[in-house]
Amino acid sequence: MEIHNGLEHFNANKPVITIGTFDGVHLGHRQVISRLKEIADSVNGESVIFTFYPHPRLIVSPEENTLRLLTTRDEKIDLFREIGIDHLVIFPFTAEFSKLSYEDFVRTILVGKMHISHLVVGYDHKLGRNREGNYTVLKELSKELNFTIEQLDVLLMEDVNISSTKIRQSLETGNVARANRYLGYDYTLTGKVIAGNQLGRKLGFPTANIETLDEHKLIPHDGVYAVRVKIDNSDYEGMLNIGTRPTISHNADHRSIEVHIFDFNQDIYMHELTLYFVGKIRDEHKFESLDALQEQLKKDKESALEILSGQ
């Protein structure tokens, strides 16, 4: 996969293109990408994903602090690479670019610079200023500019159309199992190990306190989760607590993220690790004593091992 930060060096044979933010790279997105690759193969062309950085909302509404993303730029790159497309264009999204009409975007960028052969869009895709470029007007423009276009139907699962919004809602209520079904993989969170208050060690459950690498990354609902952990290319199992402890938290929502890694006794301070959310064990709540908390942690570990063994 070739990665292009802009279009200065972009060159593709009969480019078959799809456009979007692709937050989550979920099953709905994958349906579009699968069709993209299929068409590219059929015309001896190359598959191209055109996406943006930073996220458009950060530019269009800079005063807003509610944006929470399912995937960081690096995570999206890894997911696209796994899927196996030919080209990934990460186009710089600016205030000036946000004012471009859909027609100017198609004429100057898709046709003028990328020499598009075919465009694949999702069921609700709109592009350009004020999202005026819907499938109907794009289809008319494609006839004039000599490229073809195809719109895919919505992907339903459990009678629900899969979308980034539905996945965010699932994670925000702690339903990681449903989020994972819609994503097609376990939701991940990458961060750096920072200093904590050492309470877990006193209870026999030492934890690594995690600071997320991207402040806009969505952190699931407070609670205890069964997780897989990747550190330095090695895989482990563990349980994770998410809660509201602003004194040791540096993410935008001021919440602590602490993971207890099973059968692990290494110093990983300042190391980077990735958490894979497998299932929720329980909500977070206050205990009457440290002894009561310790007993609950033992039960949590049993629950986590049971969830992880069921994968």
Side-chain angles (χ1 to χ4, degrees):
M1 181 180 79
E2 289 189 46
I3 301 173
H4 309 267
N5 292 300
L7 294 172
E8 186 178 354
H9 302 293
F10 177 81
N11 182 41
N13 179 49
K14 296 181 183 176
V16 180
I17 302 174
T18 189
I19 304 162
T21 55
F22 296 98
D23 189 27
V25 194
H26 54 64
L27 291 180
H29 295 142
R30 286 164 188 257
Q31 175 183 244
V32 173
I33 297 168
S34 177
R35 181 59 180 154
L36 182 83
K37 293 170 62 181
E38 184 181 318
I39 296 169
D41 287 343
S42 71
V43 299
N44 293 316
E46 294 179 81
S47 56
V48 183
I49 288 180
F50 188 105
T51 190
F52 311 98
Y53 188 83
H55 192 283
R57 272 177 55 191
L58 293 175
I59 302 302
V60 176
S61 305
E63 73 288 345
E64 184 183 322
N65 192 34
T66 59
L67 178 67
R68 297 295 176 265
L69 299 174
L70 300 173
T71 41
T72 65
R73 179 169 66 169
D74 287 345
E75 287 169 343
K76 277 199 277 194
I77 289 172
D78 289 342
L79 289 165
F80 288 139
R81 185 178 282 116
E82 287 173 13
I83 292 170
I85 60 166
D86 296 314
H87 298 269
L88 173 62
V89 175
I90 304 174
F91 196 83
F93 196 93
T94 63
E96 183 181 1
F97 178 77
S98 71
K99 298 171 185 174
L100 200 65
S101 70
Y102 77 88
E103 185 171 349
D104 285 342
F105 173 75
V106 172
R107 288 182 184 276
T108 61
I109 293 179
L110 294 187
V111 176
K113 294 184 178 181
M114 301 182 74
H115 309 295
I116 186 171
S117 168
H118 186 89
L119 179 64
V120 180
V121 298
Y123 75 98
D124 62 347
H125 185 80
K126 298 179 180 67
L127 58 84
R129 183 183 60 231
N130 299 324
R131 292 172 54 84
E132 294 169 345
N134 59 37
Y135 175 70
T136 302
V137 297
L138 288 171
K139 189 169 180 62
E140 285 303 310
L141 195 56
S142 72
K143 295 173 184 176
E144 177 192 340
L145 298 175
N146 198 31
F147 66 90
T148 52
I149 184 171
E150 177 177 335
Q151 183 179 43
L152 300 189
D153 292 333
V154 61
L155 178 63
L156 296 176
M157 179 180 285
E158 302 162 359
D159 293 325
V160 173
N161 62 305
I162 296 177
S163 68
S164 301
T165 299
K166 295 286 195 313
I167 296 167
R168 289 190 202 101
Q169 290 169 347
S170 297
L171 291 169
E172 286 166 351
T173 57
N175 195 339
V176 297
R178 182 171 61 199
N180 290 346
R181 287 197 300 275
Y182 293 171
L183 286 167
Y185 60 89
D186 291 340
Y187 185 68
T188 64
L189 192 67
T190 298
K192 182 174 61 177
V193 179
I194 60 173
N197 63 4
Q198 306 295 315
L199 176 60
R201 189 173 300 279
K202 297 173 185 175
L203 295 171
F205 290 88
T207 60
N209 293 267
I210 313 302
E211 177 183 313
T212 55
L213 298 185
D214 188 328
E215 67 172 337
H216 297 291
K217 176 75 174 183
L218 189 151
I219 300 168
H221 189 262
D222 292 355
V224 181
Y225 296 85
V227 294
R228 290 182 294 110
V229 187
K230 184 180 284 293
I231 311 170
D232 300 331
N233 293 317
S234 295
D235 296 317
Y236 303 90
E237 295 180 335
M239 60 186 189
L240 177 82
N241 185 84
I242 298 173
T244 51
R245 295 169 64 185
T247 54
I248 63 168
S249 175
H250 295 79
N251 56 73
D253 294 324
H254 304 295
R255 295 158 69 204
S256 70
I257 306 166
E258 303 173 78
V259 61
H260 170 67
I261 306 169
F262 302 149
D263 305 317
F264 185 83
N265 190 28
Q266 299 176 33
D267 181 4
I268 53 172
Y269 178 65
M270 296 305 290
H271 282 232
E272 189 175 299
L273 56 75
T274 299
L275 305 164
Y276 298 80
F277 287 75
V278 180
K280 187 174 182 181
I281 298 170
R282 61 174 174 85
D283 287 335
E284 184 188 44
H285 58 266
K286 187 175 181 179
F287 292 89
E288 295 179 357
S289 66
L290 291 180
D291 287 341
L293 172 58
Q294 188 177 47
E295 286 304 308
Q296 182 60 55
L297 291 174
K298 293 176 182 177
K299 294 175 183 176
D300 292 342
K301 181 176 181 178
E302 292 177 5
S303 298
L305 289 169
E306 185 176 341
I307 291 170
L308 292 164
S309 67
Q311 269 210 305

